Amino acid sequence: MALEIDLSGRVVLVTGGARGVGAGIVRTFQEAGAVVEICGRTSPGPEGDGPAPRFSQVDVREEEQVRRWVNEVAQRHGRIDVAVNNAGGGPFTGFASASPRFHRRITDLNFLSAVFVSQFVFPVMNAREEGGSVVNITSISARRPSPGTAVYGAAKAALESLTRSLAVEWAPRVRVNAVSCGLVETEGSADHYGGPEQQARVAATIPRGVFARPEEVGAACVLLASPLASHISGTVLNVDGGGEWPAFLQHAPGTEKLPGQAPV
C-alpha cells in the first residue's frame, strides 16, 4: 500500500517564502495540495508556472506586523494548520567587530521572529479539535561551532530548545518540530562560495557530496506537518546529507579504505 501525503484544504504559513529555501518549501506544500501564504519584506518576482502563494509584506522582527498578518490569514481562511518559521540568515561577520545592533538584529530575525509567529498561531490552532503543526527551520550551526556566524548559530540553538519545550507545553493539539538544514543550493550559492569550482569543493565536505535542494527541505517539512507524523513532536530532523566529514580524516591514515570519499 502506497503512502501519500495529501494536504488539500490545509492552510500553511511560510515566513521568508519568496525565494531560496523558503520558495522550495512553498512549492512542496503546494504540490501536496495545501493553500500557502507567505510573508517577507520584499515582494517576490514571478516564480515558475504554478499558482503563486499569497504574499504579505511583513517584517517578522516586528511583533505587531506578525500579529496582524496571522490574524488576517485566520480571518481569511477560518483556520491555520501549519506554520513554517523559515525566515533567517546572517552574513559572515567576526563576533568582536560586529556592533551590538547587528547582534540584536540577527537574534531578532533567527529566533524572535519564530517566537512571534508561534505565539500568535497557537490560539488559532489550539481552538480546533485537529490542532496544528509548527515547523521551525534551524541549522547545523546550532550544534557545532559557527565561527563568523556565532550569533546566528546561537539563535538557531535557542530555536531548537524552544521547539522541544513547546512540544511539551502545547501538547496534545499542537505539534512542534524542527528541520535542521545543512548546506542548501539556492540561486546565489555559486557566487557565495566563489564560483562553481569552489562550491564543488565545499560540497565534497558533505558525506553525500552534494548540497541539499530546497525541495528536499520542503519534503521534510511536509512530512512533519502531515498525519504521517501524528506522533512526532519535539523532534529535530536533520536534512544535511550526513553532516560533515570530521576534519581529522583528511590527515588520518587508512581514510582511503573507507567506502566514501573524504574531502581533500
Side-chain angles (χ1 to χ4, degrees):
M1 176 180 175
L3 293 176
E4 296 184 359
I5 297 178
D6 183 0
L7 299 181
S8 298
R10 307 289 179 91
V11 177
V12 179
L13 307 186
V14 181
T15 64
R19 55 186 57 84
V21 174
I25 293 171
V26 168
R27 288 191 293 270
T28 311
F29 271 103
Q30 288 181 318
E31 289 171 2
V35 175
V36 182
E37 298 229 7
I38 67 174
C39 75
R41 287 182 296 167
T42 306
S43 178
E47 183 69 32
D49 300 324
R54 186 181 185 118
F55 171 80
S56 297
Q57 190 169 38
V58 177
D59 185 341
V60 292
R61 299 168 300 185
E62 299 295 332
E63 60 179 294
E64 287 307 317
Q65 293 188 36
V66 174
R67 188 198 305 270
R68 184 165 55 250
W69 177 53
V70 170
N71 289 342
E72 288 173 354
V73 173
Q75 291 174 6
R76 187 155 47 244
H77 298 284
R79 61 191 293 169
I80 295 174
D81 299 278
V82 182
V84 181
N85 288 308
N86 165 74
F92 190 90
T93 305
F95 180 86
S97 60
S99 68
R101 181 173 181 270
F102 174 85
H103 292 321
R104 182 182 296 277
R105 290 177 70 82
I106 293 296
T107 304
D108 288 352
L109 177 60
N110 290 282
F111 179 65
L112 281 182
S113 67
V115 170
F116 298 151
V117 172
S118 300
Q119 186 170 16
F120 299 143
V121 300
F122 172 72
V124 181
M125 294 178 175
N126 198 49
R128 304 174 67 245
E129 184 64 31
E130 56 267 51
S133 173
V134 175
V135 180
N136 296 317
I137 304 301
T138 69
S139 168
I140 195 171
S141 296
R143 280 165 284 159
R144 58 105 160 105
S146 188
T149 54
V151 173
Y152 167 82
K156 292 301 188 182
L159 187 53
E160 292 191 1
S161 177
L162 182 72
T163 296
R164 290 186 287 268
S165 294
L166 293 185
V168 176
E169 186 171 333
W170 287 357
R173 280 203 174 99
V174 178
R175 295 185 299 108
V176 186
N177 291 291
V179 172
S180 176
C181 299
L183 299 177
V184 183
E185 184 164 14
T186 58
E187 300 91 337
S189 294
D191 290 340
H192 177 77
Y193 290 105
E197 183 177 343
Q198 184 62 23
Q199 181 177 340
R201 295 186 65 186
V202 173
T205 68
I206 303 169
R208 284 199 66 236
V210 293
F211 284 42
R213 292 179 291 106
E215 288 79 8
E216 290 175 310
V217 179
C221 295
V222 168
L223 171 63
L224 290 174
S226 78
L228 292 178
S230 59
H231 202 58
I232 299 176
S233 194
T235 291
V236 179
L237 177 59
N238 297 329
V239 182
D240 58 14
E244 298 171 326
W245 277 92
F248 77 88
L249 288 178
Q250 298 180 43
H251 309 287
T255 300
E256 68 280 357
K257 298 178 182 178
L258 296 176
Q261 177 64 51
V264 294

